[in-house]
Amino acid sequence: MKPDVDANVSSLIIIPCLNEEKHIEPLLNKLVLEVDQLNAKIVVADGGSTDQTREIVARLSAADPRIVLLANPRRIQSAAVNLAVQTFGRDYDYLIRIDAHGDYPDDYCRQLVQEAVLTQADSVVVAMETVGSGIFQKATAFAQNSKLGNGGSKHREGARGHWTNHGHHALMRIAAYEAVGGYDETFSHNEDAELDYRLKKAGFGIWMTDKTRMIYYPRSTVGTLFRQYLGYGRGRAKNILKHGSMPNLRQALPLLVVPVFIGAFLAVLSWVAVIPFSIWAIACLGYGFWMAIGQRNIYGPLAAISAMVMHFAWSAGFWMELLSFRGRKVSP
């Protein structure tokens, strides 16, 4: 990066976290090396960790005042970023959002700032590569990196740099962030897509960079993966209810999973009822075996199971939110 880029802008690096004792210290040690080359501060907004996360951050903060521990009483990520910006944002040009449950190239923040300066984007988003370590986590990563799990999402698969409507949040101009009111704290999931909708509506530009990306570690059990995607589905439904922004085709197809699953129980009346559910299950498993053969990856069949969990949970969360909203509307 050119020296004048570093000198002319400042960045607030925000890490929302909760119980991240395994990841937080190596992450901060890596980011501090970038702070040395940027006019930046690191804020760890902790949502009430019950492990050693806060003690680790406090120890590192005592040794380096550029690292700050901030208590986030509302716990969720949207509130964490809002609070950090409200507390420190007035002194900085950009916010950089870092996921504590991920990994980043050594020059991640510098590349983001450079892209923002060169493109004059109000938001710079990145592609996300998913990586696993255990058997189920590796299978889930394989699924999330494939069209079976991501539906061809550009911020999952990556693409050449381009202007876009949405992507994985990385950097935002604080003035733009504050102009639209920051994250909506009623969203525990999908808050990024909801904010991107308001940014675009207000005329701000979102740039998907191809100069860097983040590495994400997925959930390692069926239960935690299910709960995560249940939340994603509910968040997407809330987005539709708030803005009337209809899902695209890759999002609409998984919505059918729960209805066809419920419909399969009508097989007691007619065997035809089980056909739609069978088509979905066979298609997922078939795609998994195809990935295993075509990409020579033994996790293909298990990746299909992970994808089915994600599809079902996303669909269930969407319908739960939609039906609960209708219930609230009709209540006296």
Side-chain angles (χ1 to χ4, degrees):
M1 182 181 291
K2 297 178 181 179
D4 59 332
V5 172
D6 292 347
N8 294 333
V9 299
S10 57
S11 301
L12 184 65
I13 302 171
I14 305 171
I15 311 174
C17 77
L18 178 67
N19 295 328
E20 293 289 354
E21 64 181 6
K22 294 181 180 178
H23 302 98
I24 195 66
E25 185 163 5
L27 176 61
L28 288 173
N29 287 337
K30 174 177 286 190
L31 290 173
V32 162
L33 298 178
E34 289 215 87
V35 170
D36 288 338
Q37 303 174 58
L38 293 170
N39 181 11
K41 178 191 291 287
I42 301 173
V43 178
V44 179
D46 183 81
S49 294
T50 55
D51 62 5
Q52 293 298 306
T53 299
R54 288 181 294 177
E55 288 77 8
I56 292 170
V57 177
R59 170 170 52 81
L60 295 175
S61 177
D64 189 337
R66 296 172 301 178
I67 301 173
V68 176
L69 176 62
L70 180 67
N72 170 28
R74 294 213 57 202
R75 298 174 68 87
I76 58 175
Q77 293 185 346
S78 55
V81 180
N82 283 350
L83 182 60
V85 171
Q86 290 165 10
T87 306
F88 302 104
R90 69 180 66 87
D91 299 322
Y92 296 90
D93 300 301
Y94 298 112
L95 73 87
I96 297 175
R97 176 173 169 172
I98 297 290
D99 188 338
H101 204 68
D103 198 6
Y104 301 85
D106 292 341
D107 61 349
Y108 182 75
C109 295
R110 284 170 286 160
Q111 288 287 356
L112 293 176
V113 172
Q114 185 174 46
E115 283 285 79
V117 171
L118 293 177
T119 64
Q120 290 299 292
D122 300 292
S123 174
V124 178
V125 296
V126 296
M128 183 165 61
E129 179 184 358
T130 311
V131 174
S133 54
I135 293 175
F136 182 77
Q137 195 178 50
K138 285 182 178 180
T140 301
F142 192 27
Q144 291 180 346
N145 288 329
S146 73
K147 286 184 171 61
L148 180 64
N150 64 43
S153 169
K154 292 290 181 64
H155 78 272
R156 282 286 189 175
E157 294 191 332
R160 293 184 63 85
H162 62 282
W163 296 100
T164 187
N165 293 323
H166 174 55
H168 183 77
H169 281 186
L171 175 147
M172 271 179 273
R173 192 185 306 276
I174 288 179
Y177 182 84
E178 292 182 324
V180 298
Y183 286 118
D184 183 338
E185 295 183 17
T186 66
F187 282 68
S188 61
H189 296 77
N190 210 235
E191 75 280 355
D192 52 352
E194 194 279 329
L195 179 57
D196 282 346
Y197 181 90
R198 286 185 283 122
L199 284 170
K200 291 294 293 184
K201 188 176 180 180
F204 294 111
I206 302 173
W207 176 256
M208 167 75 78
T209 180
D210 59 355
K211 298 297 191 297
T212 191
R213 63 172 55 204
M214 73 158 293
I215 296 171
Y216 176 76
Y217 300 104
R219 301 299 188 266
S220 57
T221 66
V222 172
T224 54
L225 181 67
F226 184 90
R227 288 192 294 273
Q228 180 185 33
Y229 274 78
L230 191 75
Y232 286 161
R234 298 197 74 144
R236 191 65 186 89
K238 287 186 69 171
N239 227 327
I240 291 173
L241 293 168
K242 180 176 180 178
H243 297 296
S245 56
M246 298 306 294
N248 54 35
L249 181 61
R250 71 177 179 83
Q251 294 173 325
L253 288 176
L255 293 182
L256 301 176
V257 173
V258 165
V260 300
F261 174 77
I262 295 173
F265 287 96
L266 296 176
V268 296
L269 302 177
S270 171
W271 66 270
V272 175
V274 81
I275 291 177
F277 179 80
S278 299
I279 290 174
W280 167 69
I282 291 170
C284 288
L285 292 170
Y287 196 96
F289 278 101
W290 178 82
M291 289 194 302
I293 296 170
Q295 300 183 36
R296 297 180 180 180
N297 190 315
I298 61 173
Y299 293 103
L302 188 54
I305 301 300
S306 293
M308 292 171 73
V309 171
M310 292 186 286
H311 292 172
F312 188 90
W314 198 92
S315 180
F318 184 94
W319 292 111
M320 286 170 61
E321 183 64 29
L322 208 62
L323 293 173
S324 67
F325 176 82
R326 183 179 179 184
R328 292 193 296 270
K329 293 292 283 186
V330 300
S331 298

